[in-house]
Amino acid sequence: MRIQHVVKNLKLSTALLATMAIAGSCTAAPVPRVTTTYEGSSENFSNPERGFYKSMEPLDNNPAPPLQLSELQQVRREKLSTIRRYYLLSDFRDKPISQPYLDMISNDLKTVRKAGIKMIVRFTYNWLGGGPDAPSSLMLSHLDQLKPILRANSDVIAYMEAGFIGYWGEWHHSTHNFTDHTTGKITNDAKKVALKILSVLPKNRMMVVRTLGYKKQIFDNDLPLTSEEAFNGSNRARTGHHNDAFRSTKSDWGTYSGNLEVMEQEKAWLNLDTKYVVHGGEPAGPSDPPEWDDCPGALTDFARMHWSGMTVNANGNYSVPVYQSWREQGCMNEIQQRLGYRFRLIDSAIVDKVKPAGTFSMSFRITNDGWASPYNPRSLEVILRHRETGQQYYIPVAESVRRWMPGETKTIDIVCGIPANINSGEYQVLLNLPDPAPKLYSRPEYSIRFANQNVWEPSTGYNSLLRSVNISPNVAGETYSGTQVFKLR
């Protein structure tokens, strides 16, 4: 690996201090910084809430058995971070969900947490061959039953597919006429179910619907999300998309209109909306026409609609020929790497030395080589770790990682204070992007890894910036006068 160290005198102007992510109201003398450049990595590795995921489906027309820790640990060994779990409610079409079944769902989510992965959830009243769904009153009642479980375990729920309505919970062929499969229209009862799902989920989790037309009708709004609306916690900002017939026909089996001119408008709409909401799904078997799912078209749609994930075993493995075709054509590695976010450090500039109670300053540049940004909240921290004792100090950075958009490079500037009582010594500088949920915060499996060589620490979940700062009372410089100071871990 080639790392360049160039000492530069960078003056921290008043304007720069005003815009720095965690700057306090202070002034600082010019400080020497060391610039480090980083090598990217083409390795395919696991990262939270992105990439291919395993689909855990009912057995024939029977509910799937409880999840086993060993099978989920195997999922992690396959470099997957997420599963999709179908819960078949066929036994409860005319009555409340039983307590044993509710207990199974709760235990499944606990097992998911133990395994260090997350779950995409879908509930359906039918499976093979379709069949009846349930009246809206019962769906709403079932959601009330599920609410405490979903809320208590939302930390390991990646997102929830709308489900409940129609065959496979895909909102078509509903026996209670929630949707009109020929016109794409939905009823007020369908809207109520969607809004109920959003009400039982916490504000930091999204629901996804089967077509963009459904989202427009649920909210009586034909416009895609704007940057101003993004991630604001509103129901519209929390509603994404799942395409369960990716590149299978020219209309993706009704995902789009089928008219190429109209379909272009629909994809342009999704291009804007999916910048800020999750988009996932699956193929539906070999395409018609046969070349429709070839690599060029697939890569174009993945990028344009900001795909975050796709099943590896969808539709009873009907997707296998599609994936085999992508391997043979040579685009599978790119798909594995670019589904969702993929952050790559470019360089950093970090102060070389600082005194206790002095000013620490740094900046780094990072780019997103993936097709999407993170869709759930994500923290960012700077860590200082004593090279000999391992003692750690950290400070949160007020930066929205969800706005590190595909193809964009971000520069993050940081100015903060060193504690007055810190021990002298050499401190490694690291970045941490943990899951903000308290039960997951300290678990490396839930932290984001950068696509760089030699920066990832699997034991901590930190990304090393390959630099240290010397903290000593003998260092010259002004005392930090702001409020943002590193805290002892």
Side-chain angles (χ1 to χ4, degrees), residues 288-325:
D288 180 20
E291 71 279 2
W292 191 247
D293 61 8
D294 282 355
C295 282
L299 293 175
T300 296
D301 274 5
F302 277 135
R304 189 175 187 185
M305 267 66 78
H306 305 107
W307 277 68
S308 283
M310 176 171 273
T311 53
V312 293
N313 61 323
N315 292 316
N317 292 324
Y318 293 159
S319 56
V320 169
V322 178
Y323 299 152
Q324 183 59 34
S325 174

Side-chain angles (χ1 to χ4, degrees), residues 127-192:
W127 191 242
L128 294 180
D133 45 25
S136 62
S137 58
L138 194 64
M139 291 183 184
L140 299 178
S141 174
H142 284 169
L143 280 162
D144 281 328
Q145 289 184 273
L146 293 165
K147 178 178 178 177
I149 298 173
L150 298 175
R151 293 238 168 158
N153 297 282
S154 64
D155 57 338
V156 289
I157 295 175
Y159 57 90
M160 184 169 169
E161 296 179 342
F164 291 98
I165 293 172
Y167 288 6
W168 306 289
E170 283 190 16
W171 282 47
H172 59 76
H173 296 94
S174 165
T175 57
H176 286 78
N177 300 314
F178 288 98
T179 62
D180 187 324
H181 190 56
T182 59
T183 65
K185 299 296 183 181
I186 63 174
T187 65
N188 285 331
D189 281 340
K191 293 181 186 181
K192 289 178 182 178

Side-chain angles (χ1 to χ4, degrees), residues 136-311:
S136 62
S137 58
L138 194 64
M139 291 183 184
L140 299 178
S141 174
H142 284 169
L143 280 162
D144 281 328
Q145 289 184 273
L146 293 165
K147 178 178 178 177
I149 298 173
L150 298 175
R151 293 238 168 158
N153 297 282
S154 64
D155 57 338
V156 289
I157 295 175
Y159 57 90
M160 184 169 169
E161 296 179 342
F164 291 98
I165 293 172
Y167 288 6
W168 306 289
E170 283 190 16
W171 282 47
H172 59 76
H173 296 94
S174 165
T175 57
H176 286 78
N177 300 314
F178 288 98
T179 62
D180 187 324
H181 190 56
T182 59
T183 65
K185 299 296 183 181
I186 63 174
T187 65
N188 285 331
D189 281 340
K191 293 181 186 181
K192 289 178 182 178
V193 171
L195 294 174
K196 183 70 171 182
I197 292 170
L198 289 164
S199 75
V200 303
L201 288 173
K203 289 286 188 181
N204 63 359
R205 284 300 179 267
M206 294 185 182
M207 172 192 75
V208 295
V209 294
R210 183 62 185 83
T211 73
L212 63 95
Y214 293 163
K215 179 171 182 176
K216 290 179 178 182
Q217 292 174 73
I218 290 168
F219 302 109
D220 297 316
N221 192 325
D222 288 339
L223 299 176
L225 287 171
T226 65
S227 177
E228 291 72 27
E229 294 175 278
F231 313 123
N232 69 1
S234 71
N235 285 341
R236 228 168 72 87
R238 296 169 53 217
T239 301
H241 308 270
H242 69 108
N243 178 349
D244 286 358
F246 178 73
R247 302 292 295 189
S248 55
T249 66
K250 290 188 175 181
S251 71
D252 286 5
W253 286 115
T255 304
Y256 307 109
S257 65
N259 178 293
L260 294 182
E261 182 177 347
V262 175
M263 190 165 68
E264 173 61 27
Q265 297 171 2
E266 293 169 328
K267 290 186 176 183
W269 190 97
L270 275 174
N271 169 259
L272 297 174
D273 203 60
T274 56
K275 284 182 69 175
Y276 311 114
V277 292
V278 62
H279 192 185
E282 61 191 39
S287 65
D288 180 20
E291 71 279 2
W292 191 247
D293 61 8
D294 282 355
C295 282
L299 293 175
T300 296
D301 274 5
F302 277 135
R304 189 175 187 185
M305 267 66 78
H306 305 107
W307 277 68
S308 283
M310 176 171 273
T311 53

